[in-house]
Amino acid sequence: MSINQTMRRLGEERSVIREIFEYGNARKKEIGADKVFDFSLGNPSVAPPHEVNAEIVRLIAETPSVQLHGYTSAAGAPEVRAAVAEYLQTAFGAPVSASHVYMTCGAAASLTISLAAMSEAGDEFVVVAPYFPEYRVFIERAGGKVVEAKAAADFHLDLAALDRAIGARTKAVILNSPNNPTGAVYGRAELQALAALLHKKSAEKGAPVYLIADEPYRELTYGAEVACLLNLYPHTVLCYSFSKSLSLAGERIGYIAVSDDCFDADGLFAAVCGAGRALGYVCAPALFQRVCAKCLGKSGDIAAYRENRDLLWNALRKYGFDCVPPEGAFYLFVRSPEPDAKAFCERAKKYELLLVPSDSFGVEGYVRISYCVAKETIVNALPAFQKLAEEYELQQTDK
Ligand code: PLP
């Protein structure tokens, strides 16, 4: 056959999340947008902070457009890379030089570039399940093998499971905190324990086991500290995105920061540049590189996400659903009242509730609810959740 069948399959099957999102759009046309409660996609629902628009306007007014919209260097505009490095140094004391920063098209590109830069034949990449479903696509495309380490019952790290999963073939562990889909934010102590484990495994292997820190939700926490992995483990590659913090998901902008303390940091960074080149990810969107350089560390209205989280979590708990309160990001991971989460999602659809079954996240028996929606969507959806709970005869609580 004359085309790549793996790519064809990926294109035809689409992600489960996108499938539900498309169903939701079609359903909204049929019965009206306000009657469909779409909790499928992690598309930020709050406006970017005002600094974003102010900077766009300023840049357009003050910079000749040829200069503003032309190519930057492949790794990004030098002043932008310098601003990112300076921010990481001053905000976190992280060991990152401008020469180790690569501007990318969001976290997806940060991850695919980093994986391609590291991956050699036979390499394994450890992910904590449940995990962002695209990890599997990205890792396998880079020629790697996915190895799952189940999270603990509270969705924090299970060090024993990680110990079993990391072996001689492990090239890297991917960690995502605040977490999609569980909302867990890993604590400093468990990350220190992970760092100790990675040191031990690297020594046994005789080569570094890298840590890929996938952090598009870094700023979105409800009080929990997001410890900086660049400071906790030397062989760390930070994959950052402005998609969620600045509500710029459609603009495709983020960066990779390779720790200066990483084994052969210059060599790894050269491989990052090579992977960016090979994948066609050179010169991330030029206008937004410059906008983001002026908005580092900022975020949209996190209070709105917190309000949604509290409203939804309190109500679902009251109706009898079993869910751990999210510490960050904008997802609630709820245990399905029947073992088959897909069957549960089908029943939820009867009430126009669009939820994502957990199977593609690497665990069974849960659903993900994205609460980055208008508050009224949650308020209007609550009676539907209550009816769903009644259908399953869940025990209502008055807590
Ligand atoms: N990693 C995680 C954990 C995510 O949730 C997402 C998007 O939802 C991404 C990576 C990809 O982010 P981006 O849209 O910036 O490519």
Side-chain angles (χ1 to χ4, degrees):
M1 267 176 271
S2 60
I3 53 168
N4 184 303
Q5 294 304 311
T6 306
M7 292 301 139
R8 179 173 178 169
R9 181 180 56 75
L10 284 175
E12 283 175 351
E13 77 188 8
R14 287 201 293 213
S15 84
V16 177
I17 301 171
R18 293 238 156 231
E19 203 72 62
I20 299 169
F21 176 67
E22 298 302 342
Y23 167 86
N25 284 343
R27 190 74 183 133
K28 281 176 186 170
K29 280 199 190 116
E30 272 169 49
I31 63 168
D34 58 327
K35 301 202 176 51
V36 180
F37 310 117
D38 183 355
F39 296 104
S40 63
L41 215 58
N43 213 357
S45 55
V46 304
H50 69 88
E51 288 91 343
V52 167
N53 280 352
E55 193 54 23
I56 294 171
V57 170
R58 190 190 70 79
L59 281 164
I60 288 172
E62 294 179 12
T63 325
S65 57
V66 159
Q67 204 177 316
L68 191 57
H69 300 298
Y71 286 125
T72 66
S73 299
E79 71 279 12
V80 173
R81 297 171 67 202
V84 169
E86 197 192 322
Y87 169 72
L88 292 171
Q89 289 159 16
T90 50
F92 309 108
V96 176
S97 309
S99 60
H100 291 154
V101 173
Y102 191 98
M103 300 307 296
T104 65
C105 299
S110 300
L111 288 163
T112 49
I113 291 172
S114 300
L115 289 164
M118 291 175 188
S119 187
E120 293 173 293
D123 277 349
E124 296 178 352
F125 292 86
V126 173
V127 298
V128 179
Y131 52 85
F132 178 54
E134 297 304 280
Y135 285 169
R136 180 168 288 282
V137 179
F138 298 164
I139 291 169
E140 288 176 354
R141 180 56 201 154
K145 184 177 163 216
V146 178
V147 175
E148 298 178 357
K150 290 265 182 291
D154 62 357
F155 301 127
H156 278 253
L157 298 180
D158 180 339
L159 267 298
L162 281 159
D163 195 352
R164 285 192 298 276
I166 304 169
R169 289 174 176 269
T170 307
K171 183 54 71 72
V173 173
I174 303 183
L175 217 59
N176 167 228
S177 177
N179 187 267
N180 173 12
T182 67
V185 178
Y186 306 135
R188 182 173 284 274
E190 62 189 311
L191 294 174
Q192 281 166 338
L194 173 70
L197 177 67
L198 293 177
H199 276 298
K200 186 184 91 164
K201 294 286 182 179
S202 300
E204 282 168 11
K205 188 182 159 190
V209 175
Y210 294 106
L211 182 58
I212 297 178
D214 176 26
E215 296 191 351
Y217 303 96
R218 161 163 279 282
E219 289 76 13
L220 307 188
T221 71
Y222 310 112
E225 179 206 11
V226 185
C228 180
L229 288 165
L230 289 161
N231 290 329
L232 296 182
Y233 184 67
H235 312 300
T236 296
V237 175
L238 171 62
C239 289
Y240 185 81
S241 162
F242 297 95
S243 294
K244 316 288 175 166
S245 57
L246 296 182
S247 298
L248 291 178
E251 304 298 352
R252 315 307 301 135
I253 187 77
Y255 62 80
I256 296 168
V258 174
S259 168
D260 292 346
D261 297 341
C262 197
F263 171 77
D264 189 18
D266 290 343
L268 178 57
F269 190 77
V272 163
C273 295
R277 180 180 171 198
L279 294 168
Y281 281 134
V282 289
C283 174
L287 172 62
F288 277 90
Q289 284 189 45
R290 294 172 177 118
V291 170
C292 290
K294 288 287 181 327
C295 300
L296 294 162
K298 304 219 175 330
S299 58
D301 181 12
I302 296 170
Y305 293 137
R306 180 197 284 267
E307 207 180 342
N308 284 359
R309 176 195 72 152
D310 292 348
L311 191 59
L312 193 62
W313 183 69
N314 284 321
L316 293 196
R317 210 173 43 140
K318 202 166 114 211
Y319 303 153
F321 287 103
D322 178 4
C323 44
V324 175
E327 302 160 291
F330 37 49
Y331 307 104
L332 191 61
F333 209 54
V334 182
R335 192 185 287 277
S336 164
E338 60 178 305
D340 183 348
K342 285 187 190 146
F344 173 57
C345 289
E346 283 307 310
R347 282 226 227 172
K349 258 190 198 169
K350 279 197 313 193
Y351 300 97
E352 310 300 345
L353 293 169
L354 305 185
L355 318 177
V356 181
S358 62
D359 305 62
S360 59
F361 296 96
V363 296
E364 289 174 358
Y366 288 85
V367 293
R368 188 190 77 172
I369 302 179
S370 296
Y371 56 82
C372 45
V373 295
K375 184 180 164 190
E376 67 191 24
T377 304
I378 296 181
V379 171
N380 294 337
L382 290 184
F385 276 114
Q386 188 165 18
K387 280 192 209 129
L388 187 60
E390 282 163 9
E391 191 175 323
Y392 281 95
E393 297 179 358
L394 300 183
Q395 197 68 41
Q396 299 243 353
T397 65
D398 47 15
K399 275 186 272 166

